Amino acid sequence: MSIENPDPLTFEQIEKIQIDADKLKMGMFVCELDRPWSESPFVFQGFLLSNPEDVIRVREECKWVYIDVRKSINVRFDRHGKLTSTEASKSRGLTPGSSALTVDAPDKPVEQPGLLRQFRKILHRKTSNPTQDSFPRVLKSSVENRVQTNRLVTSIMDEIRLGKSIDTPAAKEAVAACVDNVMMNQDASLLLTRLRNKDEYTSEHSLNVAIISIAFGRHLGMDRKELNIVGLCGLLHDMGKMLTPIDILNKPGRLDEEEMDIMKQHPLDGREILLGTQQVMDTVIDTAYAHHERLNGQGYPRGIIGNEIPLFTRIVTIADVFDAITGDRVYRQGETAETALGILHRNAGSAFDEALVIKFIQTIGTYPLGTIIEMTNGEVGVVVDNNPRYRLRPKIKLLLDFDKQQREPKTIDLTTNPTDSVGNPYAIRKSHRAGSFDIDLSQHIQSYIKRI
């Protein structure tokens, strides 16, 4: 019995095909556009068309795209790469409403109806984008508030170490001031979270997580009361670490098994501290207890899964992880926002809530204000503004020339396709960690404040 040679062009061997935008269907995985990703409004470089709105959006932006056959779901092609049929979107792998572009809440059955209603209530709200107040003025106010709040957090932590209770009214007042500043100008508040002092990591981290959580909640459409709650959750989420030995908190390198067991105690310690504190709501206590839990059950201290993790905890967890990755520690430098968002994205749907991660990326942006950027021609600058439609094409204040020497500052807007001195279009090569090229972000913040 002989076996015929297989067709040299099988479905499995086709990796990507070009297709006109008007032929796009739900279930197709877009892997390339008819232009560079940096010239598109899309957050991700590759995404599944999981609902009709996604298809319409891509059709509006592109004439043709490339489809990754292997990553597409319920879409069939013949051996020449021609589309033959698509199956119903309700089949395996497609969950209409969960989108890399429109980012609605995933329509998945859960065991806790209360959580599902709360989840949909927030994620289905219209994204908040009110008029921003004067950037320099709000920045100055945010700086003043940050100094005061950081002192308060340090005081709270010192009191916990001494066995005293938390001054809850003062903490709530500090969070309310943070909410005010975020509501006036979110960019100004988020910019300050990029200022780092590795010797004050724990207090700065708690404050940063509060501010980032507030900004995240604002993007989700939370009202002021909810923003105050999620901000307090962020501010107090790590109080249990005040009972963790400092040599373990600041150990350079991997913790051994015994040390990790001690580290994993801090959510329980935080819960006990907050249970013994007056005027602290259950939501705040739950967040301190569960912010290291993961949807796949691989977290600690209890290893709970999915819908057992409260919504506000999921929100603060994402903010916590982002700030932890980007923050400088005594023993290591922080990573770029781009790196941190990539880690969150890769773990979305397993460790972290997928819809929330996508919303979070929209909140922060690939290149947040203050990000140090190197251009393809070698020039270096700092991101000073973002275009919400073209997230990968920010405004950049160029500070160094291609030899990395100081140059006359010049601001370029990548949405206008500017060119350099030899006529080549400016394009981003990569982002760099804070402090790279001896660029001091605090000096640029002071220059904004002086404009008042």
Side-chain angles (χ1 to χ4, degrees), residues 17 94 124 161 201 208 235-236 269 293 327 333 418 430 436:
I17 59 171
L94 268 183
H124 276 137
R161 291 189 184 100
Y201 172 79
N208 286 348
L235 191 72
L236 302 181
D269 291 336
E293 302 289 357
Q333 279 187 298
K430 63 181 297 187
S436 298

Side-chain angles (χ1 to χ4, degrees), residues 285-358:
I285 298 171
D286 290 341
T287 300
Y289 192 27
H291 69 280
H292 279 289
E293 302 289 357
R294 300 294 181 258
L295 296 186
N296 56 13
Q298 298 301 306
Y300 65 86
R302 292 172 289 167
I304 58 179
I305 64 173
N307 304 308
E308 296 175 288
I309 303 173
L311 176 58
F312 276 41
T313 301
R314 301 184 192 197
I315 291 171
V316 171
T317 293
I318 292 170
D320 174 41
V321 170
F322 175 80
D323 190 73
I325 294 172
T326 56
D328 288 338
R329 305 293 290 271
V330 173
Y331 52 84
R332 67 158 175 82
Q333 279 187 298
E335 298 291 342
T336 65
E338 189 177 5
T339 297
L341 294 175
I343 291 171
L344 286 167
H345 184 219
R346 287 194 296 275
N347 290 280
S350 55
F352 310 111
D353 190 289
E354 183 175 10
L356 286 176
V357 167
I358 295 172

